Amino acid sequence: MFLVCFANLQLEVVITRLFSATMFYHFTFLAIALALFGVAASGVYVFVKGESLASDLRGHMARASRRFAIFALVALAYAMANPMDIIIVTGSNAIPEFTTQQMWQLIFLVGITAIPFFYSGIVVSIALTYCREDTGRVYAWDLAGAAIAAVSTGLVLSLLGGPDAVLFAMVVAVAGAALLDARGLARWGYLAAAVVFLFWNLHRPVIRVPTAKGV
C-alpha cells in the first residue's frame, strides 16, 4: 500500500510538471483533475464488481498495481509524442485557436493519462473495502506513502528529470505488485524488467521531452 500510493502521488506531481513544460501551465490543473477522475472511477468499479473481487484480493491488487505501471509508461510515451500545440501570442489578449485536431488530442490525452490512476485507485479501494478490520493500518500506510512522495518528488525530478521520474514511479509500483503477488520468484521478473528499462532510458533515452511549449 505504501509503495503503490507513493507511486500514485509521485506520478500525479510529475505529470503536472511535464504538462506545464511541454504544453502550457494551465494543463497542470488538468493533470490533477485526471488523477481525481481516475481514482473516483476505480471506486465505482470496485463497488460494481462487489464480492467477485473478494475471492482473490491480493491477486487483484497485484494485477492492478502492474497495470498502473504499464499504463503510466503508455501515458508518458503518448504525452511526450503528442503534446498539444496551442499557439499563444505573447503580449496580446487574443484567444488561442482551438482546432478539431486539438480537440481529439485533448480527448486522447485525458483518456490515456487517467488510466494509471484508475488502477492505483483499484488497489486502495479494494484494500479499504475488504480489509475493514485493518482500515486504520491501511489508511496510515496510504497517507505515509503519499506524504513521502510529496516530500521527495522534487529531489527525484532534479536527479532523474521528468520522463525518468515517471519510470521511477513505475518501478516503485511494480515493487508493490511483487509484494502483493503470491507467485514465488516469477513476480520479481516484472520488477527486474522495470528497473532495466529505467536504467536504459537514463543512459540511452527512448522516451524524452521532445519540445517545450512548441520550441
Side-chain angles (χ1 to χ4, degrees), residues 6-149:
F6 176 98
N8 179 77
L9 193 117
Q10 184 164 96
L11 177 64
E12 180 180 351
V13 175
V14 173
I15 283 179
T16 67
R17 300 298 86 207
L18 286 171
F19 280 12
S20 178
T22 58
M23 294 178 286
F24 211 70
Y25 68 86
H26 48 257
F27 283 93
T28 296
F29 304 101
L30 173 65
I32 296 171
L34 289 175
L36 294 173
F37 170 70
V39 170
S42 69
V44 175
Y45 172 82
V46 171
F47 175 78
V48 170
K49 293 292 288 185
E51 296 301 322
S52 64
L53 298 172
S55 60
D56 184 18
L57 292 180
R58 291 175 69 97
H60 285 298
M61 293 169 72
R63 285 189 290 274
S65 300
R66 281 195 293 270
R67 289 168 184 170
F68 166 85
I70 291 169
F71 281 103
L73 176 60
V74 171
L76 172 66
Y78 178 83
M80 294 301 95
N82 299 279
M84 291 190 63
D85 185 15
I86 296 180
I87 299 173
I88 296 177
V89 181
T90 305
S92 76
N93 293 322
I95 298 174
E97 182 181 357
F98 194 73
T99 65
T100 302
Q101 178 183 349
Q102 290 168 338
M103 182 190 73
W104 284 109
Q105 276 185 296
L106 182 61
I107 290 172
F108 281 111
L109 183 69
V110 168
I112 293 172
T113 310
I115 295 175
F117 298 108
F118 170 76
Y119 283 112
S120 62
I122 286 177
V123 177
V124 177
S125 296
I126 288 177
L128 291 176
T129 301
Y130 297 103
C131 303
R132 296 182 182 92
E133 68 282 1
D134 283 329
T135 298
R137 192 155 60 99
V138 168
Y139 197 50
W141 285 113
D142 178 332
L143 291 177
I148 297 299

